[in-house]
Amino acid sequence: MIQEQLEQLARIREPEARSKLIRTLVGEYARSEDHDPSETERELFSRIVLSVFEQLDRSARYELVVRLAKTDRIIPDLADRLAKEDYELSEPVIECSPMISQGELMQIAKSGGNNKRLSVARRQDLSEEITDTLIARSSRNVVNALLENLDAPFSVRGTLALLIFANTEAEVLAGIAKRAIKDEDFRETQMHILETNCPLIPAPLKKALESGELKRLASRIDDPEREGDIELDGLQYSRHEASIQIANGELSFDAILRTLFEQDRMDAAIWLISRKINLADDVVADTLKSDADGAILRLMLQTGIDDKTYRDFLKARCGWLDRSSRSIPELVMRYKAELKSPRQTHVAPQLQRAAN
């Protein structure tokens, strides 16, 4: 029955007639609850709809979304095409379709509007990569939606980005506290980071985790009558959005490190570098404070950062130690040359032995 109707559709040329028949066909296709369409029928239906999609009027497209967006009766290519429509049409597809591809969700996370990103943030099938991209690129209401979505996974990088935001933004701090109350795994992640003496954990969150007063922290911030800055434990938290630089649409080690340099958080940068190359914090700190440009270069090569991040590091280091920046261009050239070299430097064990 479905195949016959689809064949009839293929013979019709007029756009108006095609839109009318599509609406009729979609209704019939969606109503056939007693018949689970085969893979062939799904493919045939979806391909023919795609072949005339540009000729369909808005009402026909709306019919498609209303009846089929939340079902598995279409193929991913059609779900992805529907997701490209304006937000009024695409919202149910983006938020609920089981057939939309992970690639399309990532594309929305990278370059979609804030409303579309918000719909992605509410899905139950997010990957850490998509979550990372949403954290890096979206406005804070999307980040808060991710924290509220107990099915959304957070990578280590994503968690560190959240902590960077929480150091200046009250709403993100409250969102982390609320998530930690509801999500035991998320709370354990925060506790693990706390145990490493991570300087990125805001003082109020550290205190709440140690004392078990997460509910109190969340309630202190989540006050609808509050406006402007909020003071907690002697620290000011505003409602501005801290920025995370992004590379290729993803939240990278380089991006987090550059952000810490911009914020003059050398303590946090040292902590992050130490974990990346598995060295003690004091070894990394002593090396970066030294005049041994070669040792510093080899240590930073171990992190895998690119030459632009290395340049930003050198600038931040000059400010941190109040030193001249005249040698930066030459040092960056040396770093670029080492990156292109096939040699593998194994500085970490050497530095560790030198420290013992």
Side-chain angles (χ1 to χ4, degrees), residues 280-330:
D281 293 2
D282 57 350
V283 174
V284 173
D286 289 345
T287 303
L288 299 186
K289 290 177 183 179
S290 74
D291 294 321
D293 292 337
I296 293 171
L297 180 145
R298 290 190 296 274
L299 185 147
M300 296 306 284
L301 281 170
Q302 292 292 313
T303 68
I305 60 173
D306 61 30
D307 58 285
K308 294 180 180 178
T309 305
Y310 186 66
R311 179 197 60 206
D312 291 344
F313 155 71
L314 292 175
K315 290 180 179 179
R317 179 174 176 271
C318 287
W320 176 40
L321 301 176
D322 192 24
R323 295 182 180 178
S324 171
S325 61
R326 283 182 294 180
S327 62
I328 288 179
E330 178 185 350

Side-chain angles (χ1 to χ4, degrees), residues 102-255:
Q102 290 291 303
E104 182 63 26
L105 292 175
M106 177 60 84
Q107 189 58 42
I108 295 171
K110 287 182 177 180
S111 56
N114 191 61
N115 285 338
K116 288 191 174 184
R117 286 172 173 160
L118 189 59
S119 289
V120 172
R122 293 171 176 151
R123 291 183 62 91
Q124 298 179 344
D125 59 350
L126 296 179
S127 65
E128 287 187 353
E129 291 76 16
I130 291 175
T131 301
D132 282 354
T133 304
L134 288 171
I135 290 172
R137 292 206 168 202
S138 304
S139 60
R140 284 305 174 267
N141 64 330
V142 175
V143 174
N144 290 332
L146 285 171
L147 284 167
E148 292 173 2
N149 179 1
L150 297 182
D151 292 310
F154 290 93
S155 69
V156 173
R157 292 176 300 180
T159 301
L160 292 178
L162 291 175
L163 292 175
I164 290 173
F165 299 154
N167 272 275
T168 55
E169 300 173 34
E171 292 180 13
V172 178
L173 182 57
I176 292 175
K178 292 176 184 177
R179 175 69 179 245
I181 293 169
K182 300 175 183 177
D183 184 344
E184 182 178 351
D185 290 339
F186 185 81
R187 183 170 64 254
E188 288 181 358
T189 298
Q190 306 307 310
M191 292 299 297
H192 176 71
I193 294 175
L194 178 62
E195 290 169 0
T196 67
N197 296 316
C198 175
L200 286 173
I201 295 184
L205 180 60
K206 180 177 184 293
K207 181 179 179 181
L209 287 169
E210 291 175 335
S211 63
E213 296 181 343
L214 287 166
K215 289 184 179 179
R216 181 170 176 269
L217 174 61
S219 64
R220 288 175 68 189
I221 299 174
D222 191 19
D223 185 344
E225 296 183 1
R226 287 186 184 271
E227 294 182 2
D229 293 350
I230 295 174
E231 182 174 335
L232 293 171
D233 299 336
L235 300 174
Q236 289 291 123
Y237 293 84
S238 69
R239 298 187 181 276
H240 84 284
E241 295 188 359
S243 64
I244 293 286
Q245 298 184 37
I246 51 177
N248 300 321
E250 298 178 358
L251 194 62
S252 65
F253 177 82
D254 284 58

Side-chain angles (χ1 to χ4, degrees), residues 242-245 255-266 269 312-313 315-316:
S243 64
I244 293 286
Q245 298 184 37
I256 296 174
L257 203 56
R258 287 198 300 269
T259 300
L260 296 176
F261 295 152
E262 285 187 356
Q263 297 181 352
D264 197 26
R265 291 299 308 274
M266 193 58 72
D312 291 344
F313 155 71
K315 290 180 179 179

